[in-house]
Amino acid sequence: MVRHNNVIPNQHFHKTCWQNHVKTWFHQAAAKKRRRLTRQKKAAAIAPRPTAGLLRPVVHPPTVKYNYKLRQGRGFTFAELKEAGINRKEARTIGIAVDHRRRNRSAESLQLNTQRLKEYKSKLIVFPRKRNKPKAGDAEVAELEQAQQMVGPIIPVPSAFEDEEAMTITDDMREEDVFHKLRMARADYRLFGVRQKNRLLKQSKE
């Protein structure tokens, strides 16, 4: 007997082959183990390179909704590589992603990613193709023996927000009418053109 104000049970289990459409999650633990083993196998295959893959630039996402944030992009521009003193063809061989389409539209992005490249280059250990025949730019033997595979992000994405220091709220702050100030600032911005036009008309009449 159904009690209280509940939904009337009307599951249609008389449909044919309904068992085939029931999804279970019994393989959750096994899938988790399989993913971990796959990660370990991939890390062993690309060793001693970092498990994160290639170094990627920091970019602002498109659209007004997300452009205040920072995320990893596809690859570094030719201008960024030139500023950091890295050859564009050599970059791909030392684990740096290159994107020939992207352009630097601000000095800030160019400076940020150039600094990122320089930091990566300072920490880089280049293994020689043949241990007994090292070439110019390859790491020393002592560095090669101490080298370990890096797990996790190569260089973390910096925060897009600056932390403000805590301050005591003064009486002047409490008395300030911030809402009115913001409304007036928006009105001044919106009516700038109309006011300028009226001022010019007034001057021309005089």
Side-chain angles (χ1 to χ4, degrees), residues 113-159:
N113 285 316
T114 303
Q115 191 62 37
R116 194 172 170 83
L117 283 168
K118 286 178 180 176
E119 186 183 346
Y120 176 76
K121 199 176 177 182
S122 65
K123 297 177 180 178
L124 186 66
I125 298 174
V126 180
F127 279 67
R129 290 184 183 275
K130 294 180 181 178
R131 281 291 183 100
N132 54 353
K133 293 181 181 179
K135 292 184 179 180
D138 293 340
E140 299 291 331
V141 178
E143 284 184 322
L144 297 177
E145 289 174 355
Q146 293 178 354
Q148 292 181 342
Q149 188 177 30
M150 188 174 182
V151 180
I154 301 169
I155 300 174
V157 176
S159 175

Side-chain angles (χ1 to χ4, degrees), residues 183 185-194:
R183 295 291 293 184
R186 289 177 68 182
D188 292 340
Y189 178 78
R190 190 178 71 251
L191 300 171
F192 175 78
V194 177

